[in-house]
Amino acid sequence: MTSMDQTTQQYDIIIIGFGKAGKTFAKAASKQGKKVAAVERSAAMYGGTCINIACIPSKTMVMASNQGLSFDDAMARKHSVVTALNGKNYHMLADDENIDVIDGVARFASNNVVDVFASDESDESDAAAADPAHAQKPLRTLTAERIIINTGATSIVPDIPGLRDSRYMLTSTEALDLEHMPKRTVIIGGGYIALEFASMLNTFGSEVTVLERSEKLMPREDAEIAAQAVADLKAAGIHFELGVDTLSVEDGESTVTVHTSAGDFEGEAVLVATGRRPRTEGLGLENTDIRTGERGEVLVNEKLETTAPGVYAVGDVKGGLQFTYISLDDFRILRSQFFGQGERTTANRGHIPYSVFITPTLSRVGLTFAQAQERGLDVVENAVPVNTIPRHKINNDPRGLFKVVVDRSTKEIVGASLYGAQSEELINYLKMAMDNHIPYTYVRDAIFTHPTMSESFNDLLNI
Ligand SMILES: Cc1cc2nc3c(=O)[nH]c(=O)nc-3n(C[C@H](O)[C@H](O)[C@H](O)COP(=O)(O)OP(=O)(O)OC[C@H]3O[C@@H](n4cnc5c(N)ncnc54)[C@H](O)[C@@H]3O)c2cc1C
Ligand SMILES: NC(=O)c1ccc[n+]([C@@H]2O[C@H](COP(=O)([O-])OP(=O)(O)OC[C@H]3O[C@@H](n4cnc5c(N)ncnc54)[C@H](O)[C@@H]3O)[C@@H](O)[C@H]2O)c1
């Protein structure tokens, strides 16, 4: 069906998927005079997952819910934000004379040849491209010495009877595109997506039930902070069922019933938030030397090289942490490999902070006190309740607790858990202090503007 003939288009670099790393690298490569093909399966995804169906729309909804907007007005705001970003991202690449944005589903024919098939814009088109019986003639065939896989991840829908066929079933993608707010929402899963959507939908007024298989929510977080956050979510009205088995899903006339080991839960929507897996299905990896791991992730080394020469994988598709800023950092690694000294690798990214955008936000970097002790470090911990920080009065939100862990011998911060308003901003300062081995006493004695949440660091580090 495909071959390296005269119709094969030659590029310096092919990027499969319009993700964070890929689009940023396309621009950098263009600046170096490279001819780049960026293949994207869906026009609705120009710019990738984050801006279209993930971080940006979800946090727009979180912010709008906290600002008291109605669900419908929030959706309208979200829609205009996403439309603007999608167009901006498209033009950022398409208007560049060195970059061709190619619409279609990419599939490897060999290590350095990629066929592009027509996309029906549904998830089915990956499978169609994968299945030779369905495979149409490729629209185009591309070749390059260097190919970058940036195809992201996709929602896992567990094999629960009735779930997949339920007309009330939503993944986060559909949940961010609802016409009306469900009066009651049942969420399967209790991780990032579940907690963020539970918090946001509850603030809009939906009655939310979260069904989590394991016995604990946020098991990796500081226990006291996780307990406070969960208590606040409960106090806001969210119902949690932990250690629960979801047995089946049954559609009714206008509602859906989720049958579980803890009883039946009814709603107008059931949101599946049970993880996202690397998107490698239909990529034709079987035609290459690219190896995948147990979860379908493309295996890479510290330089993001796959097991096929000249092929790299970046972002969610390579497994590990699924964050936009990890994908952005993957871009830095590629830039350093392709156009720099090759000094940046996955081994020297520095500390990786993260935030769970419940209200208020829970943010974290480095180790908890318990984790530091398990590693045998000689550590001391300090805590500051948010209701003692003057700024909380202005924020009108007393909820939260800030904690920090310091190594007695090095005098460096080894971790921080910040649960409270604006922690998504604050955590990045502590990450910088940790990366640069700044002694905790510097932060303790630093002048911070007033009245801010960051001035609480004077007290937090007063150990
Ligand atoms: C609801 C939600 C909220 C999130 N919130 C945050 C957050 O607040 N902060 C954060 O840092 N992270 C967040 N994440 C995670 C973040 O969105 C991802 O880690 C990030 O977008 C991954 O980017 P990427 O570079 O791997 O590729 P993506 O941006 O996923 O891009 C992959 C692209 O490849 C395309 N594609 C796939 N297969 C093919 C193919 N065969 N041919 C052509 N094109 C193809 C896809 O259509 C897609 O556009 C969130 C995720 C979700 C689902
Ligand atoms: N703020 C952020 O940065 C942000 C926000 C949203 C998503 N994300 C990214 O997206 C990824 C995916 O998020 P997610 O919440 O889908 O996955 P997750 O891995 O964070 O959580 C999945 C949860 O579902 C539970 N689960 C699995 N199967 C289940 C079942 N059958 N019944 C009940 N519970 C079940 C798991 O025990 C786990 O707690 C995250 O890992 C994160 O990297 C990031």
Side-chain angles (χ1 to χ4, degrees), residues 16-21 39-41 45 48-50 54-55 58-59 104-106 150-152 172 193 197 276 279 283 315-316 322-325 327 357:
I16 304 177
F18 207 139
K20 184 70 180 175
V39 189
E40 171 52 54
R41 61 193 294 283
M45 292 295 285
T49 299
C50 178
C55 335
S58 64
K59 270 84 246 185
V105 178
N150 188 198
T151 51
S172 55
I193 292 181
F197 277 76
R276 288 172 60 82
R279 188 164 197 161
L283 256 184
D316 289 359
Q322 296 179 3
F323 295 119
T324 296
Y325 43 91
S327 186
F357 289 86

Side-chain angles (χ1 to χ4, degrees), residues 317-332:
V317 74
K318 68 181 194 311
L321 295 174
Q322 296 179 3
F323 295 119
T324 296
Y325 43 91
I326 293 294
S327 186
L328 179 64
D329 199 55
D330 288 351
F331 146 72
R332 295 189 190 102

Side-chain angles (χ1 to χ4, degrees), residues 4 14 108-114 142-145 147 288 309 311:
M4 282 274 290
I14 300 170
F108 281 93
S110 69
N111 280 346
N112 59 1
V113 177
V114 171
L142 318 174
T143 184
E145 269 179 29
I147 301 179
T288 70
V311 184

Side-chain angles (χ1 to χ4, degrees), residues 287-299:
N287 301 325
T288 70
D289 296 315
I290 299 165
R291 295 211 346 248
T292 53
E294 273 176 12
R295 293 153 162 240
E297 75 278 17
V298 175
L299 296 178

